[in-house]
Amino acid sequence: MKDFAFRTFIQLINFGYERIFHEEMSNEVKKFFKNLSYVGLGTITTTIFSFTFNILAGRILGPSGYGEFTLVQSVAMFLYIPMLLGFNTAMVKYNAEKEDYTRQRSIISTTYILVFICAIVSMFAYYLFASQISNLFSVPREMFYLSVVFAVLFVFYTLTTSTLRSLHEMKKYAIFQPIYGVILLLSFLVFILLNFSSFKAMVFSMYLAYGITGGIILAFIRKYLRFAFDISWADKLAGYGSYAIISGVSSVFYLNIDKILINKYMAIADVGVYRAYYFAFINTIMLFIGIFVTVFFPVASKHGNKEIMFKRINKIIPYIIILGLPFMIGSGFIILKLYGGEYPFDLKLALLFGIAGICICVDSVYGWLMNAVGKEGVKITSFASIILALANIFLNVWLIPLLGIEGAIIATIIAYVLSIDIVLSKKRYLYNSKEMRC
């Protein structure tokens, strides 16, 4: 039954592939779609659990409680930056290039030691300057500490899942995705049954999901870990990571600053409404792009000719735009209704969030292909991310007081268009990727 389902899936993919690219799939392409099917199945399964988690939380906690959780998560996304410093992306890049056990073990072990040191130093700094940092984010001290723990566990989970991706272990990666989702939802239901119905129920559920899943993955990859630090690999990881972290820092700003500024200029309930719209209208298509990128980046890093991949992506983008917008608006309407009457539907907002989702997808696909080039590629995406972040901050500060939530999403659209334009203006690096690979 399983073989029949997989053969049917490949036949459908092959039909679409031939219609778009006018050629039959090679064995390499079939392997790519096989891994894509693993990751897709795992990700969609866990999304069902996380979807239920968000809907229940949004209904039970209301916009204010949902907004408080969003703030904890958003602040945590700033705090994790100096803990990870882009080392996970560098690990995926270099590990995926060559399937050699000794090389991979050296890269992974060195990466974990670097991240551990960065995490310890960061936590110490957060403890010393807790008052100043919490005031900077305009959150209570308790919420700040919750965010610190959130950041640590998020780094742990991200590092372990990135390790599986770097080893091309997509089947295992897919298996662990539903485990995360099951733990997340069951934990939240237990908290609710115990009458613990505050935003902390969401936070603690995320703690358990990140911590337990990451711990299980760590047990499976333990053969790649040893107490050995390779200076040469540390230098390479730091070199690539120094540019990747620029993109990481920028992405944290442009993905979270809108929520923090909405809280500053409006009310915490508006943060909850904004998150509900984002989850309903953008997360659906981001789910599919996330599945694609999870498999695509390691494969693109290993592939010598980025020009071919670039031309194929150009043929796919129109389908994302034409089919993506009506899909997001339709599915988003249904999802938003599940949140309840406290989250009213607004057609103008739905269109804006749909357009933003398309821009995010296009930027993600082109950006990760450029990252696969090497240092030169990640320099370009880092610069694009900086412009994206600066434009997003400026536009949010200007437009949120004028237009409210609409202003926040308009700022997102404009900023992503600028980023896409910058990456495409440097497409010549994709044509010369063989010489620049490092």
Side-chain angles (χ1 to χ4, degrees):
M1 182 66 182
K2 186 187 294 185
D3 292 338
F4 173 76
F6 178 72
R7 285 198 303 271
T8 303
F9 171 77
I10 291 296
Q11 287 174 356
L12 290 172
I13 292 296
N14 190 45
F15 174 77
Y17 186 90
E18 290 180 2
R19 292 293 296 268
I20 296 172
F21 300 112
H22 307 292
E23 64 181 31
E24 291 187 2
M25 286 197 299
S26 64
N27 290 330
E28 185 179 353
V29 174
K30 287 180 181 179
K31 182 180 179 181
F32 173 81
F33 280 111
K34 184 178 181 179
N35 285 330
L36 201 64
S37 67
Y38 290 145
V39 175
L41 182 60
T43 304
I44 291 172
T45 302
T46 196
T47 299
I48 294 172
F49 292 107
S50 62
F51 169 81
T52 308
F53 167 76
N54 274 276
I55 295 298
L56 286 176
R59 293 181 70 93
I60 294 170
L61 303 180
S64 294
Y66 201 49
E68 287 178 303
F69 166 75
T70 303
L71 279 180
V72 170
Q73 187 180 47
S74 295
V75 172
M77 292 303 98
F78 283 93
L79 300 180
Y80 94 88
I81 295 170
M83 299 181 187
L84 201 55
L85 289 178
F87 288 125
N88 64 311
T89 304
M91 177 181 64
V92 175
K93 161 65 182 171
Y94 291 117
N95 244 5
E97 285 183 345
K98 190 175 181 181
E99 297 182 32
D100 181 287
Y101 172 73
T102 303
R103 169 191 162 112
Q104 290 173 328
R105 186 176 66 173
S106 182
I107 293 171
I108 292 170
S109 298
T110 303
T111 301
Y112 275 62
I113 293 171
L114 287 169
V115 172
F116 178 77
I117 294 171
C118 292
I120 294 296
V121 173
S122 298
M123 285 188 287
F124 182 68
Y126 295 151
Y127 175 75
L128 289 179
F129 302 103
S131 179
Q132 294 88 336
I133 300 174
S134 58
N135 289 334
L136 178 65
F137 287 111
S138 301
V139 296
R141 183 77 69 86
E142 181 187 22
M143 190 176 285
F144 170 73
Y145 285 131
L146 289 171
S147 298
V148 173
V149 178
F150 195 111
V152 172
L153 292 171
F154 175 77
V155 166
F156 177 54
Y157 174 79
T158 301
L159 192 59
T160 53
T161 52
S162 294
T163 304
L164 291 178
R165 291 177 59 208
S166 75
L167 297 169
H168 298 280
E169 292 282 5
M170 297 307 171
K171 193 171 183 178
K172 289 181 181 177
Y173 177 91
I175 291 172
F176 287 113
Q177 290 295 294
I179 293 175
Y180 165 85
V182 169
I183 296 171
L184 180 66
L185 180 58
L186 287 182
S187 300
F188 182 71
L189 291 175
V190 170
F191 285 128
I192 296 303
L193 289 174
L194 294 174
N195 293 320
F196 186 60
S197 55
S198 79
F199 77 96
K200 292 180 185 177
M202 293 186 73
V203 174
F204 294 156
S205 297
M206 295 288 283
Y207 286 177
L208 291 170
Y210 284 145
I212 295 174
T213 309
I216 297 172
I217 295 174
L218 194 66
F220 274 85
I221 60 174
R222 64 185 182 276
K223 70 176 182 178
Y224 291 96
L225 298 172
R226 57 176 180 160
F227 292 104
F229 188 79
D230 190 310
I231 296 177
S232 62
W233 275 118
D235 182 60
K236 289 182 180 180
L237 290 165
Y240 187 95
S242 63
Y243 293 106
I245 191 58
I246 295 174
S247 296
V249 172
S250 301
S251 68
V252 168
F253 271 93
Y254 59 71
L255 290 174
N256 295 281
I257 196 67
D258 46 4
K259 304 172 187 70
I260 291 173
L261 290 174
I262 288 172
N263 179 58
K264 179 179 176 65
Y265 292 116
M266 301 174 71
I268 198 163
D270 294 303
V271 179
V273 172
Y274 184 83
R275 177 184 170 86
Y277 265 86
Y278 199 99
F279 186 84
F281 292 95
I282 293 181
N283 272 30
T284 306
I285 194 166
M286 285 303 297
L287 164 68
F288 296 106
I289 292 298
I291 292 169
F292 177 79
V293 168
T294 297
V295 181
F296 175 70
F297 180 54
V299 171
S301 297
K302 189 177 182 180
H303 201 287
N305 194 334
K306 308 296 187 293
E307 180 182 353
I308 293 176
M309 305 187 88
F310 177 64
K311 290 179 178 179
R312 288 180 177 176
I313 287 172
N314 288 340
K315 293 182 179 181
I316 296 173
I317 293 299
Y319 292 92
I320 294 177
I321 297 172
I322 295 170
L323 301 177
L325 187 59
F327 171 75
M328 280 190 292
I329 293 175
S331 61
F333 173 79
I334 296 170
I335 295 171
L336 192 67
K337 286 298 180 182
L338 295 175
Y339 271 90
E342 294 183 277
Y343 304 86
F345 175 77
D346 184 301
L347 180 59
K348 186 188 294 186
L349 270 180
L351 285 169
L352 289 172
F353 272 92
I355 294 170
I358 294 295
C359 293
I360 293 171
C361 288
V362 173
D363 180 74
S364 180
V365 174
Y366 281 128
W368 281 108
L369 177 61
M370 188 64 77
N371 280 339
V373 169
K375 283 186 181 179
E376 291 300 322
V378 79
K379 284 180 184 178
I380 294 167
T381 56
S382 297
F383 176 69
S385 294
I386 292 172
I387 299 301
L388 197 164
L390 292 175
N392 200 29
I393 293 170
F394 171 76
L395 291 168
N396 270 295
V397 171
W398 176 36
L399 295 175
I400 289 176
L402 290 176
L403 303 173
I405 292 176
E406 289 182 14
I409 198 62
I410 290 172
T412 299
I413 293 170
I414 296 173
Y416 271 100
V417 169
L418 287 174
S419 176
I420 294 167
D421 184 61
I422 291 170
V423 173
L424 290 181
S425 71
K426 303 294 183 180
K427 61 185 178 182
R428 67 180 183 276
Y429 287 94
L430 297 171
Y431 298 147
N432 302 322
S433 57
K434 287 183 179 179
E435 291 78 9
M436 295 179 181
R437 192 174 176 181
C438 63

